[in-house]
Structure formats: structure tokens, C-alpha cells
């Protein structure tokens, strides 16, 4: 037996040594490749002076080119740059995907040792920064990292320095999903503590305050610009007519006119009255409305690929774009993954649908900005198959051709620029078709001032991002968005009261008004925070982050809630990520508040009357699971006998 264990130990030791050697080999191989790729880039641009005028010599030719001259007309600058670009550089410009960031603010080109799963994913499942910049000639990226302000600002500068070393010095457009809300979903929103904290977009709609949402856009703009984000992959102008959809929180509710007003002012806050050097460009999504998902299933996944219109209400979902995003001058538009079933002559997803992109968006609505595909509709990857709904049988090359023919300009979540190159080289599309899209993409870079100065000041960024003033504005918005759904003469609470708190992370704000007791029997009132229910799914990576499926609490979940609130006067605070069924809870509690990302501090102020809940429901709250099942995916306000209707919201006397 001892001999057996000795042999086993030696075998395991050999395996361990071989594993270490393999990992070391892969590590040094990646490091060597990255170093070689980075060395293939040229020198940084120098600042030259011509007749007293300073300019950045981006193509390093020692003279002032038109595209390098901030005084020149933007169209002339585009023409000049486009005439100098190779086919490979044009193709690279038409792709935007995720790029990794190290804790020191370096673009992730070499593997780093980290227990962070995001670092692991970016290092081993995504193309490296060096490959995308030096080999694929890309110059648009988004990042999922959420570091401190200085790190993010430093990352922008380091990334721009690498881009400056490219042959023509085309600057990077750095994009991001929403970062100012508490949701954390790599497919939709990125929780970033450094930024000021605001209610979800659904909560902003609950305020009905167009001035407030423009203020939010302006503050978010300042924080984005400070760290280098110049393209916002939002807002979502989708309508929440299907209550089970996992992205309801990311919309402005189910009313098209309300959504149009909020969308319009949101964009004006980010972009200003026109896109300029101090703007953040908006990529409004998801044309022509990504809300009516069949059975509420999300189109990120194969089972959610269908968008249906049983109420014949397709045109209703276009209103937030035609009366909101487009009049506000949104710079860019993103179609969703889904197939608008039986709305066009072929049942293919929006990104491949010429009748939607060219026929409706460009020809009918007159949009001439960038149209960018949602992430990963073309290529299979280590993260999963391409979401080419309706054209799954086509090859990646054929999918690319069909998307370009439909009217797309840029491919999100993709780095397969070789496909666009192959289409031109095989004569399947003319190079002039690429020129058309590249012109639009370059136009936004020029309008944003990136060619003139893409760098930021990390010290200044630290003063701007998450400032006391901005955080205070976010807290005011949190309170204004909160909705008083029910009040049986229990709110606001009297100071000095004994509170049993459940589901509240930080009870210290409550203790500034009353006392916290650990035994429910000693309490004068129970305050309980609850989240929206959902189904846990694990077949796909992103399912871990999308809260989908049921809107009702399981028997076990409901039993725990009712057991907590039924023996004492109680107040339930429900986070309305989606239209939750609260019927039994509503009956058992004396006070019910709906919130959209309210901090414990702001909640305490509301409970004791220092702040007032002012919100009105931007969605209906259904009364039963049967009512939810009977709703039509594309119709607003069609829940039978809702617990609380659209627009409901009480106030303190």
C-alpha cells in the first residue's frame, strides 16, 4: 500500500510539474506575441508647429494634413483621412468589441494572474488589446471593468497612446454601458461605485421630470468625459409592454409618449443640443423596439429570439425613436437581436433586416448616423455562438454581407474584420460600401474632438467623478423616483421608534432616527426590503445576470416575507426591477414603497419624512400570474385588474 501511494504521489507531482510548464509556456507565448504586436506599431505622434499653429502629426509625415487640422471642415477632414486609409484600416474601423483593463490601467495585452473571473475571461476568451490595435486595426472598444477613477482615466490615456502609434494615429472611441445604476449585468449595465448613484432608467421615468433626466444626462456626461468614455451604449428606448422581460428596469416604462419625452431629454443631457467636443455620443437602442419579447424571454438567448405583435402594435414601439431619439439628434442607433415576427417580408433579426434598417430607419425616418449591431451577431466565439437569429444557416461571411446589405455600419462585440476584407477582395461588396460606413464612424470621432485631443487628466477626473454635488443630485433623484404605493397611516414614521429591519444592509441611517432591535417582538414596526423574484437559469453564461421568468414569489419566498411582516405593523420596500406581483404582500403590510435603486440612507430619510417619495408608476403592477400570462407582449396597460395601475403613486399628507 505504501508503494502504491508513493507511485501515486510521484505521478501527481509529475502532472503538476507538466501543468506548471504548460501554463508557463502559454504565458510566455502570449507575452512574446503581445510584445511583437506592440512593436509593430510606430512611434507616437509629435506636436508640430506650422505658421504659429500647433497640431498633432498623426501620420508622422512632418506636415499638416487636412484631417489633422481642427480648423478644417469636418467633411474635408473625413475625405482626406479616408483617402489615406487602407482596406484593412477601413475594415478595422467597422468593428467594436470589449477590451480588458488591468488594475494599473493598462490595456490587457498580456495575461495577468488574478482571481477576478472578469480578468480571466478577458485574458483567455477575448482577443488581446495588442492584436486588435496592431493587427486588426480596430479603434472602437467598450470595457466591462469598474475600477477607481484614476485607473479608468489612466487606461484611456494608455489606450490612446497605443492608438496614436498606429500608421494614421486614428484615436479610440471608448464606449460603455450604463454605470450610474446599481444593476450589474455584463450584457446590459456595469455597476461602478466611483460614479454618482442614480435610480434605474425605469426610476427616472417614475419621476416624470424631464428637467431632472436632462440633469442626469449632463452629470453622467461630465463623469464619462472625465475618464475618457465618449460613447454611451444607451439609452434603451424599448417599451416595457411585456412585464416578464429581464430588461424592464433598463427602459422608461410601457408608455410610448412618456418614453419619447424621457429619451429626448436624456440624449440632450449627454450630447447637448448638438454633438461636440464636450459631448458623449448616444447609441440609442434597440431599434425598432426590443420590448415585445415572446413570453418575456430575452433575445440574448436562442429561446428568446422571437418578438411578437399579437396586438398588431408594431408602430407603437417606434414612437420613442421617431418622437424621442431622432428629434434629439442621437448620434447612433443599435438594433436588437430579435426577429420581428411577420412584420417584414422575411423573418430575420433586426440586424439583418433591410426593411427595418434601410427602409424604415434610414429612408422613412431619415436617420443618417451610425447603425451598430448588438454584440456578437456574426461569429461564434469561446463565449458562445453568434446570435444570428433567422440566418443561422448562413456562414459568418454571408452574415456579414447580409448585415451590410441591410444597412449596418458597425459590428458590435466582433473583431472579425477579416470578414469585411474578404467580402471586398472576393467582389461580394464594393469597397465603396465600406467607405459609406467608415465615413459615418469617423464623423462622430471628429465631432467629439478625439482627433484633436483624446486624452484626459486623471487628477481632474478624480475631482469630477462622484463629487459631493453629483452624489447629492443622485440621492435627490432616488427619493423623487420612489413610489408610495400604499399607506395605512403608518408613514412617515415617528422619530424614536423601535425598528426591526430585514433586508437592509446598512441600518445606521435608520439608527439616526430610531433604534434597531434584534427581536421582532420588541419592535414597534417592521421595515423589510425585498427584491423582484426571477428564475435562476444556468445554461448560458449571461443567464447568471439576466433576471427573467416568473414575477411571482415562490411559496417558500412568500412564506418568509409574510412571516416577517404579519405580526407587527410593517412597511415593505420593493425594488421594482420588473413589474412584481405583490398582491399578498400588499394585503399583509400597512405601508408599501416601490423603489428603483434607493440607498439605505435615502430610504431612511423617506421613511421618516425628511424626503418625500414623489414617483408615479411607469408600468402596471399585475395582480396575479394569470393576468401576466393573458397580457399581449406588444400592448401597454393590458393587465387585467392590476394591483396598481400605470401612473399610481401616493404622497405624504
Amino acid at each position: 500500500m505504501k508503494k502504491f501511494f508513493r507511485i501515486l504521489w510521484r505521478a501527481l507531482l509529475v502532472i503538476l510539474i507538466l501543468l506548471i510548464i504548460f501554463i508557463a509556456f502559454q504565458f510566455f507565448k502570449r507575452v512574446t506575441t503581445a510584445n511583437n504586436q506592440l512593436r509593430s506599431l510606430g512611434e507616437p505622434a509629435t506636436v508640430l508647429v506650422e505658421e504659429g499653429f500647433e497640431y498633432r502629426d498623426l501620420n508622422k509625415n512632418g506636415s499638416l494634413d487636412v484631417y489633422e487640422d481642427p480648423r478644417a471642415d469636418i467633411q474635408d477632414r473625413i475625405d482626406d483621412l479616408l483617402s489615406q486609409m487602407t482596406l484593412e484600416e477601413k475594415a478595422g474601423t467597422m468593428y467594436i468589441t470589449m477590451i480588458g483593463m488591468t488594475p494599473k490601467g493598462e490595456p490587457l495585452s498580456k495575461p495577468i494572474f488574478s482571481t477576478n473571473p472578469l480578468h480571466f475571461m478577458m485574458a483567455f476568451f477575448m482577443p488581446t488589446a495588442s492584436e486588435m490595435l496592431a493587427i486588426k486595426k480596430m479603434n472602437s472598444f467598450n470595457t466591462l471593468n469598474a475600477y477607481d477613477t484614476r485607473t479608468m482615466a489612466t487606461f484611456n490615456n494608455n489606450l490612446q497612446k497605443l492608438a496614436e502609434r498606429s500608421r494614421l494615429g486614428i484615436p479610440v472611441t471608448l464606449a460603455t454601458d450604463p454605470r450610474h445604476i446599481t444593476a450589474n449585468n455584463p450584457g446590459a449595465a456595469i455597476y461602478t461605485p466611483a460614479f454618482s448613484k442614480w435610480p434605474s432608467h425605469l426610476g427616472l421615468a417614475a419621476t416624470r421630470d424631464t428637467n431632472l433626466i436632462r440633469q442626469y444626462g449632463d452629470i453622467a456626461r461630465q463623469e464619462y468625459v472625465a475618464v475618457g468614455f465618449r460613447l454611451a451604449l444607451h439609452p434603451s428606448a424599448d417599451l416595457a409592454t411585456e412585464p416578464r422581460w429581464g430588461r424592464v428596469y433598463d427602459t422608461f416604462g410601457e408608455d410610448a409618449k412618456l418614453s419619447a419625452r424621457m429619451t429626448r431629454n436624456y440624449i440632450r443631457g449627454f450630447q447637448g443640443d448638438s454633438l461636440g467636443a464636450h459631448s458623449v455620443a448616444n447609441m440609442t437602442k434597440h431599434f425598432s423596439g426590443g420590448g415585445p419579447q415572446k413570453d418575456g424571454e430575452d433575445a440574448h438567448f436562442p429561446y428568446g429570439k422571437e418578438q411578437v405583435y399579437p396586438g398588431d402594435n408594431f408602430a407603437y414601439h417606434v414612437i420613442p425613436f421617431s418622437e424621442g431619439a431622432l428629434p434629439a439628434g442621437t448620434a447612433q442607433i443599435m438594433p436588437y437581436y430579435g426577429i420581428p415576427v411577420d412584420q417584414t417580408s422575411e423573418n430575420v433579426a433586426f440586424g439583418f433586416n433591410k426593411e427595418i434598417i434601410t427602409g424604415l430607419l434610414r429612408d422613412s425616418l431619415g436617420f443618417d448616423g451610425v447603425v451598430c449591431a448588438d454584440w456578437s451577431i456574426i461569429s461564434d466565439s469561446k463565449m458562445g455562438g453568434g446570435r444570428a437569429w433567422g440566418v443561422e444557416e448562413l456562414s459568418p461571411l454571408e452574415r456579414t454581407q447580409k448585415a451590410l446589405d441591410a444597412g449596418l455600419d458597425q459590428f458590435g462585440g466582433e473583431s472579425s474584420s477579416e470578414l469585411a476584407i474578404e467580402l471586398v477582395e472576393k467582389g461580394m461588396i464594393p469597397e465603396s460600401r465600406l467607405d459609406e460606413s467608415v465615413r459615418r464612424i469617423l464623423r462622430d470621432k471628429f465631432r467629439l474632438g478625439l482627433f484633436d485631443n483624446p486624452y484626459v487628466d486623471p487628477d481632474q477626473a478624480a475631482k469630477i467623478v462622484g463629487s459631493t454635488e453629483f452624489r447629492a443630485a443622485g440621492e435627490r433623484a432616488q427619493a423623487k423616483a420612489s413610489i408610495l404605493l400604499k399607506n395605512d397611516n403608518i408613514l412617515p414614521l415617528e422619530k424614536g421608534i423601535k425598528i426591526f429591519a430585514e433586508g437592509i444592509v446598512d441600518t445606521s441611517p435608520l439608527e439616526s432616527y430610531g433604534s434597531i432591535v434584534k427581536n421582532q417582538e420588541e419592535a414597534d414596526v417592521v421595515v423589510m426590503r425585498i427584491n423582484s423574484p426571477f428564475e435562476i437559469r444556468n445554461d448560458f453564461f449571461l443567464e447568471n445576470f439576466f433576471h427573467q421568468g416568473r414575477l411571482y414569489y415562490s411559496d417558500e419566498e412568500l412564506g418568509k416575507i409574510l412571516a416577517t411582516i404579519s405580526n407587527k405593523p410593517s412597511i415593505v420596500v420593493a425594488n421594482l426591477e420588473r413589474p412584481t406581483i405583490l398582491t399578498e404582500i400588499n394585503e399583509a403590510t400597512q405601508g408599501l414603497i416601490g423603489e428603483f435603486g434607493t440607498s439605505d440612507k435615502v430610504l431612511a430619510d423617506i421613511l421618516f419624512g425628511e424626503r418625500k417619495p414623489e414617483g408615479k408608476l411607469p408600468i402596471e403592477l399585475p395582480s396575479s400570474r394569470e393576468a401576466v400570462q393573458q397580457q399581449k407582449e406588444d400592448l401597454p396597460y393590458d393587465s387585467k385588474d392590476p394591483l396598481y395601475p400605470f401612473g399610481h403613486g401616493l404622497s405624504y399628507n
Side-chain angles (χ1 to χ4, degrees):
M1 184 61 72
K2 288 183 179 180
K3 183 178 180 181
F4 170 79
F5 282 112
R6 190 162 52 247
I7 294 172
L8 178 62
W9 182 86
R10 288 175 179 174
L12 291 174
L13 183 61
V14 170
I15 292 172
L16 178 61
I17 292 172
L18 290 174
L19 181 61
I20 292 172
I21 292 172
F22 175 77
I23 293 173
F25 173 77
Q26 290 296 323
F27 177 81
F28 287 111
K29 179 182 177 181
R30 287 173 177 266
V31 169
T32 301
T33 300
N35 286 336
N36 290 336
Q37 290 169 341
L38 292 173
R39 274 195 294 268
S40 71
L41 293 170
E43 296 297 318
T46 55
V47 177
L48 301 181
V49 180
E50 184 170 304
E51 297 180 354
F53 175 72
E54 286 190 350
Y55 68 95
R56 299 168 68 222
D57 184 21
L58 295 172
N59 62 2
K60 301 92 181 171
N61 68 352
S63 62
L64 178 61
D65 291 77
V66 175
Y67 87 91
E68 297 167 342
D69 190 347
R71 302 166 300 181
D73 180 77
I74 284 181
Q75 193 57 53
D76 292 338
R77 298 180 77 180
I78 295 171
D79 290 342
D80 180 54
L81 178 57
L82 195 63
S83 70
Q84 299 186 45
M85 294 176 73
T86 64
L87 174 60
E88 290 75 16
E89 288 163 341
K90 293 174 183 178
T93 298
M94 295 175 62
Y95 288 79
I96 174 173
T97 194
M98 295 170 288
I99 191 168
M101 181 193 316
T102 74
K104 294 183 178 180
E106 294 287 343
L108 189 58
S109 292
K110 306 168 187 177
I112 59 174
F113 295 102
S114 173
T115 57
N116 188 321
L118 181 60
H119 290 159
F120 180 83
M121 180 189 77
M122 296 301 297
F124 292 96
F125 291 94
M126 301 295 296
T128 63
S130 57
E131 179 186 359
M132 291 189 288
L133 285 161
I135 308 302
K136 294 180 176 289
K137 317 298 184 187
M138 293 173 60
N139 49 62
S140 294
F141 303 100
N142 73 309
T143 180
L144 304 179
N145 296 101
Y147 290 117
D148 63 88
T149 301
R150 290 181 185 276
T151 300
M152 290 188 287
T154 300
F155 169 73
N156 172 78
N157 291 347
N158 288 333
L159 185 60
Q160 298 293 357
K161 287 176 185 176
L162 289 178
E164 191 179 281
R165 291 169 53 192
S166 66
R167 192 179 70 90
L168 296 172
I170 298 174
V172 164
T173 302
L174 193 57
T176 183
D177 282 308
R179 288 178 178 263
H180 286 82
I181 61 178
T182 55
N184 193 30
N185 178 349
I190 304 165
Y191 177 65
T192 307
F195 289 102
S196 56
K197 285 292 154 279
W198 294 71
S200 68
H201 294 168
L202 191 64
L204 290 172
T207 70
R208 303 297 201 273
D209 189 336
T210 54
N211 290 327
L212 183 147
I213 199 169
R214 183 158 184 168
Q215 180 196 31
Y216 161 74
D218 181 58
I219 288 175
R221 173 194 65 81
Q222 294 178 63
E223 293 185 317
Y224 276 12
V225 169
V227 297
F229 292 124
R230 302 306 300 277
L231 176 61
L233 304 177
H234 47 93
S236 294
D238 309 307
L239 296 175
T241 53
E242 166 48 62
R244 290 167 292 186
W245 188 34
R247 299 187 68 172
V248 169
Y249 71 91
D250 200 27
T251 76
F252 295 123
E254 61 185 307
D255 182 87
K257 295 292 185 180
L258 173 62
S259 178
R261 292 197 304 273
M262 304 307 280
T263 298
R264 188 165 59 246
N265 284 278
Y266 186 106
I267 293 169
R268 286 175 176 161
F270 275 90
Q271 294 190 173
D273 293 328
S274 62
L275 200 65
H278 299 289
S279 301
V280 169
N282 287 106
M283 185 184 290
T284 306
K285 53 194 185 185
H286 303 87
F287 192 82
S288 56
Q293 300 299 134
K294 187 176 187 295
D295 298 327
E297 302 292 5
D298 190 80
H300 274 84
F301 313 106
Y303 52 74
K305 67 178 67 174
E306 294 180 315
Q307 288 189 201
V308 294
Y309 302 86
D312 195 26
N313 211 27
F314 176 90
Y316 186 76
H317 291 260
V318 180
I319 291 173
F321 297 90
S322 62
E323 298 184 16
L326 298 183
T330 187
Q332 304 189 14
I333 290 282
M334 178 191 288
Y336 206 33
Y337 297 114
I339 300 170
V341 176
D342 296 337
Q343 301 305 302
T344 57
S345 60
E346 58 175 345
N347 281 326
V348 297
F350 290 112
F352 302 101
N353 199 312
K354 190 170 185 177
E355 291 171 60
I356 294 293
I357 297 174
T358 297
L360 178 57
L361 180 58
R362 294 218 188 274
D363 294 345
S364 295
L365 297 177
F367 181 69
D368 188 41
V370 174
V371 179
C372 180
D374 210 332
W375 265 224
S376 305
I377 70 168
I378 300 294
S379 309
D380 296 340
S381 70
K382 296 176 182 178
M383 297 295 293
R387 302 179 183 96
W389 309 145
V391 296
E392 292 93 337
E393 76 285 354
L394 298 182
S395 69
L397 184 67
E398 292 168 328
R399 294 172 187 175
T400 303
Q401 182 185 29
K402 188 171 182 62
L404 289 172
D405 183 61
L408 278 184
D409 296 308
Q410 199 168 34
F411 295 92
E414 303 275 350
S415 59
S416 52
S417 57
E418 66 276 3
L419 294 175
I421 295 170
E422 185 178 353
L423 287 174
V424 174
E425 291 179 339
K426 287 185 174 180
M428 297 170 69
I429 62 167
E431 188 170 346
S432 59
R433 173 62 189 87
L434 269 60
D435 291 349
E436 180 183 337
S437 292
V438 173
R439 283 182 182 278
R440 294 189 179 108
I441 297 165
L442 292 177
R443 181 175 59 191
D444 284 348
K445 288 180 183 286
F446 279 114
R447 290 196 293 177
L448 290 168
L450 291 172
F451 278 91
D452 308 321
N453 181 17
Y455 298 104
V456 299
D457 182 344
D459 291 333
Q460 188 65 18
K463 296 176 183 177
I464 294 172
V465 175
S467 70
T468 301
E469 176 189 354
F470 290 171
R471 290 190 183 276
E475 290 181 352
R476 288 194 295 270
Q478 292 174 29
K480 189 165 188 176
S482 300
I483 303 172
L484 184 59
L485 296 168
K486 177 181 180 180
N487 187 13
D488 285 350
N489 297 316
I490 193 171
L491 288 166
L493 295 173
E494 294 182 3
K495 293 181 180 179
I497 201 169
K498 295 180 181 178
I499 307 162
F500 179 81
E502 184 76 20
I504 295 176
V505 176
D506 181 9
T507 60
S508 62
L510 289 175
E511 292 179 275
S512 66
Y513 291 105
S515 58
I516 300 296
V517 296
K518 295 183 179 181
N519 188 334
Q520 190 173 348
E521 296 302 318
E522 300 174 9
D524 298 313
V525 65
V526 171
V527 176
M528 186 177 193
R529 293 191 80 148
I530 59 175
N531 293 317
S532 300
F534 62 94
E535 295 172 12
I536 297 176
R537 302 176 182 178
N538 296 301
D539 291 334
F540 301 92
F541 169 73
L542 282 179
E543 281 183 315
N544 292 289
F545 304 96
F546 279 81
H547 294 173
Q548 306 179 84
R550 61 182 172 90
L551 296 171
Y552 59 89
Y553 295 97
S554 68
D555 290 342
E556 180 182 1
E557 292 167 339
L558 185 60
K560 289 181 178 178
I561 295 170
L562 295 179
T564 302
I565 66 174
S566 296
N567 298 322
K568 289 281 184 174
S570 64
I571 300 162
V572 173
V573 183
N575 178 266
L576 298 180
E577 186 179 56
R578 297 187 297 154
T580 307
I581 298 171
L582 298 167
T583 305
E584 295 89 349
I585 296 168
N586 182 72
E587 292 175 356
T589 191
Q590 287 69 50
L592 182 60
I593 294 174
E595 57 93 11
F596 304 90
T598 302
S599 71
D600 290 330
K601 175 180 179 297
V602 172
L603 176 60
D605 291 344
I606 291 172
L607 292 173
F608 286 90
E610 292 299 313
R611 301 180 192 259
K612 296 180 180 180
E614 301 179 47
K616 306 292 182 184
L617 279 173
I619 48 175
E620 294 178 306
L621 293 187
S623 57
S624 67
R625 67 181 76 177
E626 293 77 20
V628 170
Q629 293 168 348
Q630 292 169 8
Q631 287 190 250
K632 294 182 177 181
E633 286 90 339
D634 59 330
L635 293 182
Y637 348 108
D638 67 330
S639 181
K640 182 180 179 182
D641 300 323
L643 176 65
Y644 290 114
F646 174 89
H648 175 78
L650 306 175
S651 60
Y652 288 162
N653 295 329

